[in-house]
Amino acid sequence: MNFVAPDFMPVLPELLVLTMACLVLVIDVFLEQRQRHITYGLAQLTLVGAALLTLVTYAQAPVTTMFGHYIKDAMGDLLKLFIYLATAVVFLYSRDYLKQRDLFKGEYYVLGLFGVLGMMIMVSAHSLLSVYLGLELLSLSLYALVVTDRDSPVASEAAMKYFVLGSLASGMLLYGISMIYGATGSVDLQVVADAVAVQGKDNLVLVFGLVFLVVGLSFKLGAVPFHMWLPDVYQGAPTSVTLYIGSAPKLAAFALVMRILVEGLGALQDDWHQMLIILSALSIALGNLAALMQSNIKRMLAYSTISHVGFLLLGILSGTPEGYAAAMFYTIVYVLMAVGAFGVIIMLSRAGFEAENIDDFKGLNDRSPWLAFLMMMIMMSMAGVPFLVGFYAKWVVLQAIINVGLVWLALLGVLFSVIGAFYYLRVIKCMYFDKPEQSGEPITLSMDTEIAISANGLLVVVLGLYPTALMDVVRSGLLN
Amino acid sequence: MQNVYLGIVLAPLFGAIIAGLFGRKIGRAGAHWVTIMGVAIAFLLSLVVLRHHVMQGAEPYNGTVYTWMVIEGIRLEVGFLVDSLTAVMITTVTFVSLMVHIYTIGYMHDDDGYQRFFCYIALFTFAMLMLVMSNNFLQLFFGWEGVGLVSYLLIGFWFKRESAIFASLKAFLVNRVGDFGFLLGIAAVLMAFNSIDYADVFAAAPLMADMTIQIIPGVDWSLMTVICILLFIGAMGKSAQVPLHVWLPDSMEGPTPISALIHAATMVTAGIFMVARMSPLFELSPTALSFVLVIGSITALFMGFLGIIQNDIKRVIAYSTLSQLGYMTVALGVSAYSVAIFHLMTHAFFKALLFLGAGSVIIAMHHEQDIRKMGGLWKYMPITWFTFLLGTLALVGTPGFAGFYSKDSILEAVHFSHVPGAGFAYLAVMLGVFVTSFYSFRLYFIVFHGKERMDHHTQEHLHETPAVVTVPLMLLAIPSVVIGALTIEPMLFGDMFARSIFVLPEYNVLEHLKEHFHGAISFALHGLTGLPFILVLAGLGSSYYLYMVRPDLPGQIQQRLSVLYDIMNRKYLFDEFYQSFFMRGSRSLGTALWKYADAGVIDGLLVNGTARLVGWVASVTRCLQTGYLYTYAFAMIIGLLILLTWFVTR
């Protein structure tokens, strides 16, 4: 058996991130604490370099390499670009927060870069093996990131829960993969797809495998009833890590669902369609209802994430190209809003003070009218107020499922969005109409952070007015 | 030319924005300068347009400036349709508006809301121009509502006065009724033609002439009639035709310059303009034309009667406006659209003059409006007196004056018409000439001649008003006298409106008029011997006798005919009926809905009930999130099992 060297050109961005992550790990050891910004700079540089490489080699047509385990296509490249962007913004927002807490260490960036690598592999996975590889690489990085503040009991508890439950979910996913392999004799998604098309859903092993796969994916996405880790982890982790977990990994999770369910098991659409209906309806209902009762804003946003995941699943379960485009649009917009919302939380925190409760937002308008305005835009967009991008995202998703005749599900989504508007608006009410509990001094931000958060908040407005700009990009990504 | 058109609408808007948003910074002088400059630019550009389209006979311009959105093939746009009809309208509007702007400097001199006032009138000018220059129904409606809004704001300008608030609300609500019809009309156009662009609709209209629709099942109605009557209901609201006229007399609560600009010269004529613009539709429906004719003649005659018994100087002129609007509507009803526009234009000048003259009197009398406390003013304020006299002569239709040409043309047009109702209309408008003459000269004699009935203090301070007031009076007096003689030939008998107004041959009464027309001078000379002029003289004579020779007589007549007087004094009981029926009815309906539907069902059951339910469910879900790892793992396993059994037992 001859070994033929695979084509390394398509995986250049991954190779760069891998090399740089290792390099940062080594360099960081030799740096003094005051030189730590070099680590930060290198991490950002890595992301920029990867983005440039991805742009230069942007896929015109799908290419598989690494013996069929890896695929480079437009959807993957597009999602990767958004992953780099989201991660870069996350690094930027959390820099000052980490400094104030003595957490400004190399680990955050090394683990962050490895997480990005994991996401890239997930996005470009073309076999169940690489799916699992990427997923575990990301998950292990996240487990460790949650507990970066290792003296914090809350963080340790959260990390422990995350790790145990994550292992359980990984186990289920692996079990599902083994069943699929048993039924089809391959892990290559193309081969699996062909085999499934022949066997159909009469094969009970296939359906069992599908259920286990869906459970594993649902855990990663945080869909009800596999969501319970999410509020605890969001609340327990340092806000900088919550910011990381809540943003780019959602893009990767979306890609994962697309790769496995749509590309690999598309022939079983009737089956996963029903499962996703249950999962999404439960997620939308429970996420919105539970968020109502929260006083901790990170926890509230965690439940809000669950409800947004429900919406994302709506787009996918419609099973049409418009539905996939709508879901991808929704994911990107959700990441934009989540980064902004957690970004504002992180900026309100100071040394020795965590802005975690909704009450901490009281009177924000007096302290920093601009931040309050940006937060208001983001909250309203999350609630789906018209002419902000969140509204359009919800609209295209609902349109997609109405087109396949699921009007009742659309109505359910709308109904719970209305209920959900309450807790978003409560934040706005706190910022504008309540007096602060302790007199907070005005918020000072570094220049680059301020520009980024302004751009982030304004993008919510601008994309709301010109949603087609982003929608066209998304459609072009899904076309080939 | 498109830039010129844009300049015409944008210059007043710019002035309004500056005066409105930065009024405090630029001060009083800044506010009046910026708005006056804006309107002056619009006026000068209007003259350019007038020369381009009327003198040089350029092709009508029909173009889109901005496409707002396209919904299933229906284009929502901002666009201009500029032809000679538009050119006449914008020139009239901007000229009167400019005069009123200048006049306002004097009239509002001591008012706190000086900048706000200038902002409003400039904004009004913008909205009115958008209305008349529109090339589609949407923009027409935008302008329509825009002028309505500013009218509401200005009637209630002195918002601390109870009566002003009431009047502004009344104007707004009554106009809602009209606008409801108007919107339905636009919707019907959209439904029938699938377009809201004038050009498309007018081109397709002849094909639709015989179409019928069923609104009540089983009854076929002509589509064109339904559309036209609905649109005309809108015009009835805005142009104050019976029975939607009740708001106009009350609108006199606003400052006098507004009465001149909005409630006499321009806004109230929007309905007239609209019908003239829609002539290709109205021509197709004889029923609608008859409806228009009858409504117009009732307004023309019966509102004139009410002018006789009013004692408020502005209300007399307001009823006169109602009556004159009736004349214009009559002209529309007999398909003499160009005559209606002609009368609209002459009326704009002399009615603005009369209102501004009345305002000048009011300033001199220290804001006293009751004519019973005036008298003999002519020697104190000669310019006001003389211009007011000219305005009165124009209004009653003295041969040679502007009003004569337009009013006599209307009388002749009705005379030649064979539309059902024309006989009644002819009687009404002819009798109306006498009534007009009677109340106009009554007002003139009581205010400017006879005994001086004001108190001593006022009398001592009586003097002519400042130049910012009298100069606009003089400038308005000129067209009030000459504009009729100068323009009758091109406007009525030339082909000036040939491309804007469409008249079917069988309704073309102007052809008959043209046969008898031999130049403006002979028209006036012929008028000296006509029946209308005799009626004018009769009105003059009887008012002179009653109010100058025997001032005791009117009181006696009033006592003898007390029932009639009472009905007229209560304005034919329209207000009472509306208040007891619609107002009280809708209020009790509202109260019932509020108490039972809103407070009971919606608040009690739906809103609070849902909130309670949601809160309960939320607290239950919160309990599920125990914080223990085994609960979480258990939930995952349960979820997995449920999904598995779902597919196995399927």
Side-chain angles (χ1 to χ4, degrees):
Chain A
M1 183 179 159
N2 292 339
F3 180 79
V4 185
D7 181 8
F8 283 107
M9 275 307 283
V11 289
L12 269 186
E14 278 84 354
L15 289 178
L16 176 82
V17 174
L18 174 65
T19 320
M20 286 301 287
C22 297
L23 207 61
V24 169
L25 181 62
V26 175
I27 292 175
D28 186 68
V29 176
F30 297 99
L31 290 177
E32 309 264 328
Q33 179 57 32
R34 59 186 169 78
Q35 294 170 313
R36 204 63 70 194
H37 55 89
I38 295 178
T39 312
Y40 167 76
L42 280 175
Q44 292 285 35
L45 209 64
T46 309
L47 293 172
V48 174
L52 287 178
L53 272 180
T54 308
L55 271 179
V56 170
T57 62
Y58 196 85
Q60 304 301 327
V63 179
T64 53
T65 182
M66 297 305 211
F67 313 106
H69 289 294
Y70 181 99
I71 184 166
K72 181 180 175 65
D73 59 3
M75 180 185 89
D77 281 355
L78 193 61
L79 283 171
K80 277 181 205 167
L81 286 174
F82 282 111
I83 287 172
Y84 306 142
L85 184 65
T87 312
V89 175
V90 167
F91 284 172
L92 173 61
Y93 285 172
S94 43
R95 187 189 55 201
D96 294 340
Y97 176 89
L98 292 172
K99 275 184 190 163
Q100 285 161 354
R101 274 165 189 69
D102 204 20
L103 293 172
F104 193 52
K105 301 205 176 97
E107 286 91 333
Y108 182 77
Y109 297 104
V110 172
L111 289 170
L113 287 180
F114 273 117
V116 169
L117 182 61
M119 292 184 235
M120 292 164 77
I121 295 172
M122 284 159 77
V123 164
S124 280
H126 195 245
S127 80
L128 293 170
L129 214 56
S130 43
V131 162
Y132 187 71
L133 188 70
L135 192 59
E136 280 307 289
L137 185 53
L138 172 65
S139 300
L140 288 172
S141 309
L142 291 182
Y143 302 148
L145 270 175
V146 172
V147 78
T148 36
D149 188 7
R150 57 177 182 200
D151 296 333
S152 156
V154 204
S156 310
E157 183 194 329
M160 203 60 210
K161 282 178 183 166
Y162 192 18
F163 178 67
V164 172
L165 296 174
S167 309
L168 189 60
S170 288
M172 290 178 183
L173 192 74
L174 263 186
Y175 192 47
I177 289 176
S178 74
M179 285 189 180
I180 302 281
Y181 178 71
T184 62
S186 173
V187 288
D188 186 294
L189 282 174
Q190 193 56 51
V191 182
V192 169
D194 296 340
V196 170
V198 175
Q199 298 181 11
K201 53 189 165 186
D202 301 328
N203 191 342
L204 202 60
V205 181
L206 261 185
V207 177
F208 258 71
L210 174 70
V211 173
F212 278 98
L213 278 182
V214 168
V215 170
L217 295 178
S218 304
F219 177 84
K220 285 295 146 201
L221 280 168
V224 177
F226 311 100
H227 67 288
M228 290 190 146
W229 60 278
L230 214 133
D232 287 11
V233 170
Y234 270 42
Q235 187 185 355
T239 312
S240 56
V241 177
T242 313
L243 180 62
Y244 185 87
I245 298 178
S247 54
K250 302 294 170 208
L251 292 164
F254 165 77
L256 204 59
V257 176
M258 286 296 286
R259 295 282 183 222
I260 295 183
L261 292 189
V262 179
E263 288 178 14
L265 302 172
L268 294 178
Q269 197 195 325
D270 283 350
D271 296 309
W272 56 255
H273 174 76
Q274 292 173 15
M275 281 189 253
L276 292 194
I277 288 179
I278 301 171
L279 293 172
S280 67
L282 282 176
S283 300
I284 291 173
L286 193 128
N288 277 316
L289 285 176
L292 285 181
M293 304 299 286
Q294 305 306 324
S295 57
N296 181 301
I297 191 162
K298 280 159 78 180
R299 214 175 167 80
M300 182 200 99
L301 285 177
Y303 280 110
S304 129
T305 304
I306 295 170
S307 75
H308 285 296
V309 163
F311 266 95
L312 191 166
L313 289 177
L314 286 184
I316 294 175
L317 69 84
S318 70
T320 56
E322 304 96 69
Y324 302 143
M328 185 160 160
F329 184 87
Y330 199 95
T331 316
I332 293 168
V333 166
Y334 167 71
V335 169
L336 174 75
M337 298 186 297
V339 168
F342 284 112
V344 173
I345 297 176
I346 223 171
M347 282 162 212
L348 291 192
S349 308
R350 296 182 304 279
F353 172 73
E354 290 285 341
E356 283 204 330
N357 292 321
I358 296 176
D359 287 347
D360 295 332
F361 278 76
K362 281 184 177 172
L364 180 61
N365 186 40
D366 296 335
R367 294 169 63 200
S368 172
W370 181 235
L371 265 190
F373 172 76
L374 294 174
M375 188 66 174
M376 176 170 77
M377 286 297 130
I378 292 166
M379 286 290 120
M380 296 212 302
S381 173
M382 278 195 171
V385 173
F387 306 118
L388 293 169
V389 68
F391 166 75
Y392 188 79
K394 280 198 167 63
W395 188 58
V396 285
V397 166
L398 294 175
Q399 200 178 34
I401 58 165
I402 287 175
N403 283 346
V404 295
L406 289 170
V407 179
W408 68 270
L409 199 54
L411 281 178
L412 185 95
V414 172
L415 193 71
F416 280 99
S417 294
V418 173
I419 294 176
F422 170 79
Y423 57 86
Y424 296 119
L425 295 179
R426 190 171 55 175
V427 176
I428 298 176
K429 179 216 156 216
C430 272
M431 292 191 300
Y432 280 89
F433 299 111
D434 290 351
K435 288 271 158 282
E437 285 179 344
Q438 70 266 37
S439 60
E441 62 269 30
I443 295 155
T444 48
L445 299 173
S446 57
M447 178 77 114
D448 45 359
T449 318
E450 179 144 19
I451 292 173
I453 189 77
S454 304
N456 192 337
L458 291 179
L459 210 54
V460 168
V461 182
V462 172
L463 281 178
L465 295 175
Y466 301 103
T468 38
L470 182 58
M471 200 63 194
D472 289 345
V473 172
V474 166
R475 288 217 178 91
S476 78
L478 282 176
L479 263 183
N480 60 23
Chain B
M1 282 307 274
Q2 197 187 341
N3 291 333
V4 175
Y5 305 142
L6 265 179
I8 290 175
V9 282
L10 292 184
L13 178 64
F14 175 76
I17 290 172
I18 298 291
L21 296 184
F22 308 103
R24 213 166 284 173
K25 280 191 191 139
I26 57 175
R28 290 173 161 244
H32 72 233
W33 273 113
V34 70
T35 48
I36 287 176
M37 285 318 290
V39 177
I41 290 169
F43 173 60
L44 291 177
L45 293 177
S46 304
L47 290 181
V48 174
V49 174
L50 191 72
R51 199 177 62 116
H52 183 68
H53 283 283
V54 177
M55 316 279 173
Q56 299 171 347
E59 279 295 310
Y61 170 89
N62 184 3
T64 304
V65 179
Y66 167 71
T67 303
W68 184 28
M69 55 173 111
V70 180
I71 303 172
E72 295 185 359
I74 299 159
R75 306 179 67 83
L76 306 184
E77 300 175 325
V78 177
F80 295 139
L81 170 61
V82 183
D83 51 17
S84 35
L85 176 63
T86 315
V88 169
M89 283 301 290
I90 57 176
T91 315
T92 314
V93 169
T94 48
F95 177 67
V96 177
S97 176
L98 182 61
M99 291 302 112
V100 169
H101 271 77
I102 297 171
Y103 178 88
T104 303
I105 301 175
Y107 192 85
M108 302 298 285
H109 189 258
D110 303 320
D111 202 283
D112 290 336
Y114 195 76
Q115 289 97 322
R116 183 163 59 98
F117 191 87
F118 274 101
C119 165
Y120 287 168
I121 48 177
L123 190 64
F124 165 78
T125 313
F126 160 73
M128 187 74 194
L129 290 170
M130 284 295 274
L131 192 164
V132 297
M133 291 171 76
S134 163
N135 76 344
N136 61 70
F137 283 92
L138 184 76
Q139 191 182 336
L140 176 75
F141 189 70
F142 167 79
W144 195 266
E145 293 300 310
V147 292
L149 169 73
V150 184
S151 159
Y152 162 78
L153 290 173
L154 283 167
I155 296 172
F157 184 77
W158 286 311
F159 51 82
K160 286 175 187 158
R161 274 193 208 167
E162 198 71 31
S163 56
I165 299 169
F166 181 79
S168 63
L169 259 180
K170 187 170 173 182
F172 199 75
L173 290 177
V174 173
N175 269 298
R176 281 283 81 39
V177 178
D179 290 348
F180 186 61
F182 191 54
L183 255 186
L184 284 178
I186 294 177
V189 167
L190 183 61
M191 186 185 78
F193 296 93
N194 202 27
S195 170
I196 50 170
D197 198 82
Y198 289 167
D200 298 348
V201 173
F202 295 163
L207 307 173
M208 303 270 189
D210 299 323
M211 293 250 302
T212 56
I213 53 169
Q214 290 189 351
I215 295 174
I216 303 164
V219 186
D220 281 321
W221 281 343
S222 155
L223 176 68
M224 273 304 146
T225 304
V226 171
I227 290 178
C228 290
I229 287 183
L230 285 173
L231 289 176
F232 182 66
I233 288 174
M236 282 162 67
K238 194 109 306 187
S239 291
Q241 298 295 302
V242 174
L244 298 181
H245 65 284
V246 290
W247 64 274
L248 188 61
D250 286 17
S251 76
M252 297 303 136
E253 286 296 335
T256 308
I258 288 321
S259 311
L261 176 63
I262 299 186
H263 304 120
T266 55
M267 183 191 83
V268 289
T269 60
I272 311 295
F273 164 80
M274 189 267 288
V275 176
R277 177 57 91 199
M278 300 298 148
S279 56
L281 302 183
F282 277 84
E283 279 301 291
L284 299 174
S285 170
T287 321
L289 284 177
S290 278
F291 182 72
V292 171
L293 180 62
V294 171
I295 292 286
S297 39
I298 290 174
T299 310
L301 181 60
F302 288 91
M303 292 301 116
F305 281 139
L306 295 187
I308 298 175
I309 58 154
Q310 298 298 322
N311 286 320
D312 181 313
I313 183 167
K314 281 172 74 182
R315 278 183 183 258
V316 177
I317 311 179
Y319 279 106
S320 152
T321 305
L322 281 171
S323 164
Q324 296 305 310
L325 288 168
Y327 274 92
M328 296 175 211
T329 310
V330 166
L332 296 173
V334 297
S335 297
Y337 303 99
S338 52
V339 180
I341 295 296
F342 183 42
H343 193 53
L344 185 163
M345 180 187 71
T346 58
H347 175 258
F349 293 124
F350 63 71
K351 190 50 65 69
L353 170 63
L354 285 174
F355 260 116
L356 296 186
S360 175
V361 169
I362 293 171
I363 300 174
M365 296 293 298
H366 297 287
H367 291 269
E368 175 60 64
Q369 303 194 2
D370 193 332
I371 54 174
R372 284 168 300 192
K373 294 179 185 160
M374 300 176 187
L377 290 180
W378 69 276
K379 53 181 176 282
Y380 298 105
M381 27 197 341
I383 301 175
T384 306
W385 162 66
F386 189 66
T387 51
F388 199 93
L389 176 61
L390 292 179
T392 305
L393 290 174
L395 169 62
V396 299
T398 316
F401 285 74
F404 162 76
Y405 288 101
S406 52
K407 195 181 281 181
D408 238 37
S409 307
I410 294 178
L411 296 174
E412 290 298 305
V414 178
H415 185 59
F416 285 119
S417 173
H418 303 291
V419 177
F424 166 71
Y426 187 62
L427 199 69
V429 290
M430 204 48 113
L431 198 55
V433 173
F434 170 76
V435 178
T436 309
S437 168
F438 185 78
Y439 67 69
S440 301
F441 281 112
R442 166 180 174 264
L443 179 69
Y444 168 74
F445 286 133
I446 294 182
V447 172
F448 289 100
H449 297 279
K451 225 173 80 188
E452 296 170 16
R453 293 175 298 271
M454 66 291 276
D455 57 40
H456 186 65
H457 173 76
T458 314
Q459 193 178 16
E460 271 186 348
H461 291 86
L462 268 180
H463 58 82
E464 183 58 273
T465 42
V468 282
V469 174
T470 51
V471 168
L473 292 181
M474 291 186 278
L475 288 179
L476 279 166
I478 298 167
S480 300
V481 177
V482 300
I483 195 83
L486 292 181
T487 56
I488 181 169
E489 196 161 353
M491 278 185 81
L492 299 194
F493 308 116
D495 55 359
M496 184 166 152
F497 291 138
R499 279 172 296 198
S500 335
I501 288 172
F502 170 78
V503 183
L504 287 177
E506 60 260 42
Y507 298 135
N508 198 342
V509 288
L510 282 181
E511 277 304 311
H512 296 284
L513 251 69
K514 199 174 178 179
E515 287 166 20
H516 301 278
F517 183 80
H518 309 291
I521 297 170
S522 84
F523 192 73
L525 290 175
H526 186 257
L528 283 174
T529 59
L531 176 62
F533 187 57
I534 296 170
L535 289 172
V536 170
L537 290 178
L540 167 69
S542 45
S543 66
Y544 185 79
Y545 182 73
L546 283 175
Y547 296 96
M548 298 298 288
V549 181
R550 293 282 305 277
D552 55 317
L553 261 184
Q556 293 177 20
I557 297 174
Q558 184 180 327
Q559 277 176 353
R560 291 272 169 78
L561 301 173
S562 62
V563 177
L564 190 63
Y565 177 81
D566 193 45
I567 290 177
M568 283 172 66
N569 199 27
R570 291 160 73 177
K571 304 162 208 161
Y572 308 120
L573 304 176
F574 273 109
D575 279 345
E576 271 89 344
F577 175 69
Y578 288 162
Q579 281 184 13
S580 59
F581 190 75
F582 289 114
M583 219 170 92
R584 207 166 298 159
S586 53
R587 280 183 70 157
S588 48
L589 182 69
T591 315
L593 282 177
W594 160 63
K595 267 197 182 145
Y596 302 109
D598 199 54
V601 177
I602 295 180
D603 279 0
L605 204 65
L606 295 179
V607 176
N608 293 337
T610 332
R612 272 197 294 275
L613 182 71
V614 166
W616 180 75
V617 174
S619 57
V620 169
T621 47
R622 200 181 185 186
C623 288
L624 289 177
Q625 187 88 17
T626 55
Y628 292 115
L629 191 53
Y630 63 81
T631 325
Y632 297 3
F634 188 63
M636 283 174 68
I637 304 288
I638 293 281
L640 174 72
L641 284 178
I642 290 174
L643 285 182
L644 276 180
T645 34
W646 171 285
F647 282 98
V648 174
T649 58
R650 186 174 52 137

